[in-house]
Amino acid sequence: MVRHFLNLSDAGGDAVAAMTNDAITRKAARVGMPKGQADQDAPLAGRVLAAIFEKNSTRTRVSFDMAMRQLGGSTMTLEAGSMQLGRGETIADTARVLSRMVDAIMIRTDDHAKIEELAAYATVPVINGLTDLSHPCQIMADLLTVIEHGKALPGLEVAWLGDGNNVLNSIVEAAGLMKFNVRIGVPEGYDCDQSFVAAAQAAGANVRVERDPVAAVAGADVVVTDTWISMGQAHAEAKLAAMEPYRVDAALMSHAKADALFLHCLPAHRGEEVTDAVIDGPRSVVWDEAENRIHAQKSVLRWAFGQL
Ligand code: CP
Ligand code: NVA
């Protein structure tokens, strides 16, 4: 069976835990090494990842390339618009061809059905680098960051503020797998995908909507937000207005636990979903979170190649 990583549940809770443990070990083992130098064991030596982008990216693009270098392999970054995919070659045929040429495929695309189709026809692992539905690699980095900062996942109280988007869907999915709780501070009309909520609740996670942003944040261990307008979405004034009460500012953050962490997948829209005082403040771990994209994805790649 080829190991695709389209959502966190493709791996499951035990594998997610194995990946975060592996990431912690490997990150510690390479402290002080030049960033592009391969880890001593170079476990993906000779392997090539094709990284396809149908949307913009800074972190996903750079972190997958660096992850492959550090694992001893290499990456070919492809803009979908300059591939034949961009002028009508089918996803299925693209999957068949790339599977003959490279060892794994990472894709950032819009409709989640596209990545499912790619995975259905690929005979090498396919990894989700963000779709409109989910962003599992981001949440692997988020889990790693939270653990690194001394917080155990079971029972953790996570507060989400803002839009019910792809990043929130993957956080909710992680809650079910890793047994933490999520208060969803999202205005009416902007809720996340209910199938993720139902699955997390069925797995025993306390995932609940709190329309009052203060109630969502009260006593939280981790406060998370993201852009109010995701890539591909229209810039809607009505949506921005609905999001206003959910901005993470110092006053809202003060309702969380005193040692609460602030996470944001980035890019941030400073002054919209988060103020400078919070993102640049003492509770913010967003730069660790960004760096951890490399370390977490190395372990996702090792899992996809059957090494974990
Ligand atoms: N967080 C994240 O996925 O960033 P990029 O859009 O820059 O890849
Ligand atoms: N929700 C954002 C995440 C960007 C990394 C988007 O989809 O644009």
Side-chain angles (χ1 to χ4, degrees), residues 76-261:
M76 159 186 322
T77 299
L78 303 163
E79 308 303 326
S82 60
M83 297 171 69
Q84 297 293 7
L85 185 64
R87 49 184 292 277
E89 185 168 18
T90 68
I91 291 172
D93 288 353
T94 303
R96 291 179 177 113
V97 171
L98 290 181
S99 296
R100 297 292 187 100
M101 293 184 172
V102 299
D103 300 294
I105 303 167
M106 192 286 309
I107 185 165
R108 166 167 287 194
T109 187
D110 39 30
D111 188 354
H112 195 79
K114 288 191 190 175
I115 196 171
E116 287 177 337
E117 189 179 354
L118 192 75
Y121 290 94
T123 56
V124 299
V126 172
I127 297 173
N128 180 356
L130 180 147
T131 66
D132 290 348
L133 183 72
S134 59
H135 198 1
C137 289
Q138 178 65 53
I139 283 22
M140 290 303 302
D142 292 6
L143 299 180
L144 175 58
T145 307
V146 167
I147 295 166
E148 237 181 7
H149 283 272
K151 298 195 185 290
L153 298 180
L156 196 75
E157 292 291 332
V158 175
W160 173 274
L161 277 300
D163 188 26
N165 66 13
N166 44 6
V167 175
L168 175 58
N169 287 336
S170 290
I171 289 179
V172 169
E173 186 180 37
L177 296 175
M178 309 313 286
K179 314 298 176 208
F180 61 86
N181 304 319
V182 188
R183 303 92 166 279
I184 302 178
V186 167
E188 208 154 352
Y190 300 98
D191 288 319
C192 70
D193 187 291
Q194 292 309 295
S195 65
F196 285 96
V197 174
Q201 286 171 340
N206 183 356
V207 177
R208 62 182 197 278
V209 173
E210 290 283 3
R211 301 283 180 217
D212 174 3
V214 172
V217 170
D221 298 295
V222 178
V223 177
V224 198
T225 190
D226 184 17
T227 181
W228 290 342
I229 310 279
S230 284
M231 289 181 279
Q233 292 180 345
H235 188 92
E237 291 304 328
K239 183 175 188 184
L240 294 176
M243 294 291 158
E244 277 291 315
Y246 299 85
R247 174 176 299 118
V248 183
D249 58 15
L252 191 53
M253 198 68 196
S254 73
H255 295 280
K257 284 194 183 139
D259 67 347
L261 303 176

Side-chain angles (χ1 to χ4, degrees), residues 2-5 19 104 125-127 299-308:
V2 183
R3 285 188 172 179
H4 300 303
F5 190 74
M19 286 188 260
V126 172
I127 297 173
S299 301
V300 171
L301 286 159
R302 292 193 67 220
W303 174 82
F305 281 103
Q307 295 182 355
L308 292 175

